[in-house]
Amino acid sequence: MTTLMASESTVAPYRPVRFPERRPIVERRADGTLTLSSSSPPPDIAQNSFADFIPEWAERQGDSPAFRERDQNGAWRSISWRELWQQVQTVAAHLLEMGLGQQRPLVLLSGNSIEQAVVLLAAEYVGIPAAPVSPAYSTLSKSFARLKGVLELVPPAAVFVQDATQLERALTIAELATAPVIAVRNVQPAQHAWADLIAADLTPARVATVAAAHATIRKDHTARILFTSGSTGTPKGVPLSYGNFKAVAAYYADNLGWMRETQPVFLDWLPWHHGLGGVLNIGRSIQFGATHHIDDGRPLPGMIERTVRNLREVSPTVFTSVPSAWAVLAQELERDPVLARSLFADVQYFGYGGASLPTDVWHRIQRVAVDTIGQRIVFSTGLACTETSGMGTYCGWPSNDLGNIGGPVPGSEVKLVPLEGGDGRYEIRMRGANVFGGYIGNSTLTAAAFDDEGYFRLGDAVRLANPDDPAQGLLFAGRVVEDFKLMNGTWVRTGAVRLGLLDQCAPLISDAVICGHDHDYLAALAWPNVAACRRLAPELAELDAAALAGHPIVVAALCERLAAHLGGGASRTIERLMLMAEPPSIDANEIAEKGYVNQAVTRARRAHLIEQLYHSEPAAHIARAR
């Protein structure tokens, strides 16, 4: 790894950002609870959802591309803003003619695509709830248990698929067997062909029908239904209303209004069945008339190369991804000056979400930025979830303090409830126009999700960056439900320990699961950073993850790193570590598609490995601090 100089990664100036400065209004209660709200109210905007912005951009910049994606030959294909508006109206008319409406939703089973963007926005424009579902539920699962759970909550009036052949098995289950299917490719008999939908005449009568449906939308109507599984793996239906969407759009108008000055450019892989990709990122592109490039890559071996290829050709205005992707990109940026010049050329700031960003990754990227453009780039993040429409707190100011999630944005209120342990941590809760009204078909879960003042319980912990000045932001302090106690009763703050371990073992591990419940000391299961481990010695250059995980050279390097951090206390020091070759499983709910590792589920699924970690005579492939 390249040696970092302080002058390069912590002293060079930041590229200026244009976020408005906000100071929170703070109320301190006698029981130690704090409430925070923005000192500025959200602006009053005319639009009720993101789809409302399309006609303006179709008029102002009709020939410029709205969405672009790679075709089967690797070339970029595009849809212009004028074509987007035409197709949104045409498809919306067809959906209405199929009988879809507020009580008859559309379910989408495929991943991000130009066609999916059109159908999502068409449904949104005329008041049809659209429910995008993880493609893994229909393609990777053998039993389709999660898909059936979703469809039980949201029986579809119609189904959209990109490729009917790819989803042939899923479409035969009883819950889908009678639903009309709209297919883009490999259309089967009796299915609605996408090509026919967009080729249909947009007659004055159909335009009037679309306009009439649009005019009947109320803020309490459901615009989108997203699904979150949490630690149980059972899908929870989260209906987001037009009022929720309007709140996010108003926040964007306040925070990102400068994007209207020139057409922004985005490249994004984050899936549209999650809040970050499917509400914030696609909504931002529509609101500000951007050119949105759909990234066909992922932060995974064999797929990150696609993201790198795309970033060599696309210079984004903002680039947002998950920490696991940033870790991989850091390595690519260090060895690819063409990629670095393209990524840093026009970017105003970087974003990350889904987990905390390791310090080592931040330093490496900043060093490349300084070498390339002479400036550092602000890494911005916040705290939110699907239930809060992806909106809550945000930190947009330059800071070397990773994990600062800022303060509440205009329209969002935050409540901080002290947690036991005396270490300055708070459980964070939120309320505001951006917060959903309750889970579909589960009143018990809904009641448990809100406190007696209507604040939504996120399940996350935070600290004040400066207890005397809440305006300096909140620091993410892990998931409350992931913390546990050692046998001596000491609390282990899993999030902080995980980040500390990633930093001390950097760059040899990519992620880790902290273990120690009902034990005297902490241990960890971790996944190797294959490329970094291979660089330890020439004889490792061709080895795969399985061979590297137990190789004596790798184990010895990890032992040195663990030993160097002894003495930090039982609740913070990792004494043993085992590398795992098997990646975290999406299907088993070990990892979300955004890259966040579910600690509790992974520990339960890999309990046999934890037994090996704590064996009285650990095997040679387990790294030990002493």
Side-chain angles (χ1 to χ4, degrees):
M1 189 181 86
T2 306
T3 301
L4 299 170
M5 302 297 293
S7 60
E8 297 171 326
S9 63
T10 61
V11 177
Y14 280 101
R15 176 169 283 177
V17 291
R18 300 173 62 182
F19 298 121
E21 293 186 13
R22 304 293 186 203
R23 288 194 66 86
I25 298 172
V26 182
E27 175 195 341
R28 298 180 183 269
R29 300 180 181 177
D31 63 357
T33 296
L34 281 71
T35 64
L36 283 68
S37 59
S38 174
S39 57
S40 302
D44 185 18
I45 62 172
Q47 295 83 0
N48 291 311
S49 75
F50 301 110
D52 283 358
F53 291 90
I54 300 175
E56 174 192 358
W57 297 118
E59 176 68 25
R60 289 180 54 180
Q61 52 188 39
D63 293 330
S64 65
F67 288 92
R68 303 185 77 204
E69 70 175 331
R70 299 279 188 183
D71 63 19
Q72 294 178 331
N73 297 318
W76 289 107
R77 70 183 184 107
S78 306
I79 183 171
S80 71
W81 277 98
R82 184 175 293 108
E83 291 168 332
L84 178 65
W85 177 224
Q86 173 80 12
Q87 290 190 18
V88 162
Q89 293 177 90
T90 303
V91 172
H94 189 86
L95 296 176
L96 293 170
E97 290 160 6
M98 293 174 68
L100 276 69
Q102 255 309 287
Q103 305 306 317
R104 291 177 55 77
L106 173 71
V107 170
L108 301 91
L109 300 183
S110 301
N112 302 6
S113 68
I114 288 176
E115 292 81 11
Q116 175 146 321
V118 171
V119 77
L120 272 175
L121 294 165
E124 181 182 318
Y125 193 76
V126 293
I128 298 169
V133 179
S134 169
Y137 292 3
S138 302
T139 57
L140 300 181
S141 177
K142 295 180 180 179
S143 66
F144 301 117
R146 289 197 193 177
L147 177 60
K148 292 176 180 178
V150 164
L151 299 174
E152 183 179 346
L153 294 173
V154 183
V159 178
F160 171 86
V161 299
Q162 195 74 20
D163 189 320
T165 300
Q166 183 184 33
L167 297 174
E168 185 175 8
R169 285 184 56 246
L171 291 173
T172 62
I173 65 175
E175 292 82 356
L176 290 176
T178 61
V181 175
I182 301 169
V184 178
R185 294 193 299 270
N186 295 317
V187 184
Q188 303 301 305
Q191 293 179 348
H192 297 251
W194 181 261
D196 294 340
L197 265 66
I198 62 174
D201 289 338
L202 187 58
T203 64
R206 299 183 91 205
V207 171
T209 298
V210 169
H214 180 72
T216 65
I217 293 173
R218 302 195 311 263
K219 69 177 184 179
D220 60 335
H221 281 171
T222 300
R224 193 80 48 82
I225 302 171
L226 300 179
F227 299 92
T228 178
S229 57
S231 61
T232 64
T234 303
K236 296 180 290 186
V238 180
L240 298 180
S241 70
Y242 285 86
N244 296 149
F245 275 25
K246 186 181 182 77
V248 177
Y251 158 59
Y252 272 164
D254 173 80
N255 204 45
L256 300 175
W258 51 270
M259 284 191 179
R260 292 182 63 88
E261 298 171 8
T262 57
Q263 185 175 18
V265 175
F266 300 120
L267 175 78
D268 187 41
W269 67 269
L270 290 164
W272 293 343
H273 56 271
H274 282 300
L276 180 54
V279 176
L280 295 189
N281 288 2
I282 192 174
R284 179 184 60 188
S285 292
I286 298 300
Q287 182 164 347
F288 296 109
T291 295
H292 184 112
H293 296 77
I294 299 172
D295 184 12
D296 57 343
R298 292 289 185 277
L300 299 169
M303 296 192 74
I304 189 63
E305 294 80 4
R306 300 182 187 181
T307 295
V308 169
R309 174 188 63 173
N310 294 335
L311 282 174
R312 286 169 66 100
E313 298 181 20
V314 178
S315 294
T317 305
V318 176
F319 188 69
T320 301
S321 201
V322 297
S324 60
W326 281 115
V328 178
L329 281 173
Q331 178 177 303
E332 298 295 333
L333 288 166
E334 288 168 338
R335 66 187 186 189
D336 189 339
V338 175
L339 170 66
R341 285 195 295 271
S342 179
L343 177 59
F344 295 124
D346 300 322
V347 73
Q348 300 300 299
Y349 65 93
F350 291 140
Y352 65 96
S356 296
L357 186 70
T359 304
D360 168 74
V361 173
W362 181 88
H363 276 291
R364 293 165 64 194
I365 291 173
Q366 298 295 11
R367 183 186 183 280
V368 179
V370 173
D371 287 346
T372 305
I373 60 172
Q375 295 174 310
R376 291 181 289 169
I377 304 297
V378 170
F379 269 87
S380 295
T381 193
L383 184 65
C385 61
T386 302
E387 290 89 340
T388 67
S389 309
M391 166 184 155
T393 71
Y394 198 70
C395 178
W397 58 83
S399 174
N400 299 346
D401 194 3
L402 292 178
N404 194 319
I405 58 171
V409 302
S412 178
E413 301 175 60
V414 163
K415 180 178 180 180
L416 306 180
V417 180
L419 289 168
E420 65 172 298
D423 57 355
R425 297 199 325 153
Y426 298 85
E427 179 200 347
I428 183 170
R429 304 173 185 177
M430 292 182 188
R431 73 180 181 187
N434 57 303
V435 178
F436 84 135
Y439 297 104
I440 294 175
N442 199 324
S443 58
T444 301
L445 197 60
T446 296
F450 293 88
D451 69 13
D452 57 0
E453 293 182 297
Y455 286 89
F456 175 72
R457 307 172 190 265
L458 282 77
D460 292 312
V462 299
R463 288 189 178 89
L464 292 169
N466 182 342
D468 297 323
D469 183 11
Q472 294 187 30
L474 304 171
L475 302 179
F476 181 70
R479 294 282 293 164
V480 175
V481 294
E482 290 180 347
D483 294 344
F484 58 85
K485 288 183 179 180
L486 295 172
M487 284 189 69
N488 63 8
T490 303
W491 274 105
V492 175
R493 308 309 187 189
T494 300
V497 174
R498 171 186 163 275
L499 271 181
L501 178 65
L502 292 179
D503 282 337
Q504 74 186 63
C505 292
L508 299 181
I509 62 176
S510 60
D511 213 330
V513 174
I514 307 303
C515 310
H517 186 269
D518 289 336
H519 290 280
D520 294 322
Y521 58 88
L522 294 179
L525 300 172
W527 289 277
N529 179 335
V530 172
C533 290
R534 285 173 172 170
R535 291 198 297 269
L536 286 172
E539 58 266 40
L540 306 181
E542 302 298 326
L543 297 187
D544 61 12
L548 290 168
H551 197 283
I553 293 177
V554 177
V555 174
L558 291 170
C559 286
E560 291 180 7
R561 285 162 168 77
L562 295 182
H565 290 79
L566 277 175
S571 65
R572 296 184 296 275
T573 300
I574 302 294
E575 297 203 11
R576 294 183 182 182
L577 183 148
M578 180 195 301
L579 292 180
M580 303 176 290
E582 181 198 356
S585 168
I586 290 178
D587 210 30
N589 200 38
E590 286 188 318
I591 188 171
E593 286 168 287
K594 293 183 294 183
Y596 181 78
V597 173
N598 188 316
Q599 298 271 320
V601 170
T602 306
R603 284 195 295 261
R605 184 170 179 264
R606 305 187 187 223
H608 61 293
L609 299 180
I610 297 175
E611 290 182 13
Q612 295 179 39
L613 270 176
Y614 286 96
H615 195 278
S616 58
E617 297 182 4
H621 64 273
I622 295 177
R624 287 166 284 175
R626 51 190 166 193

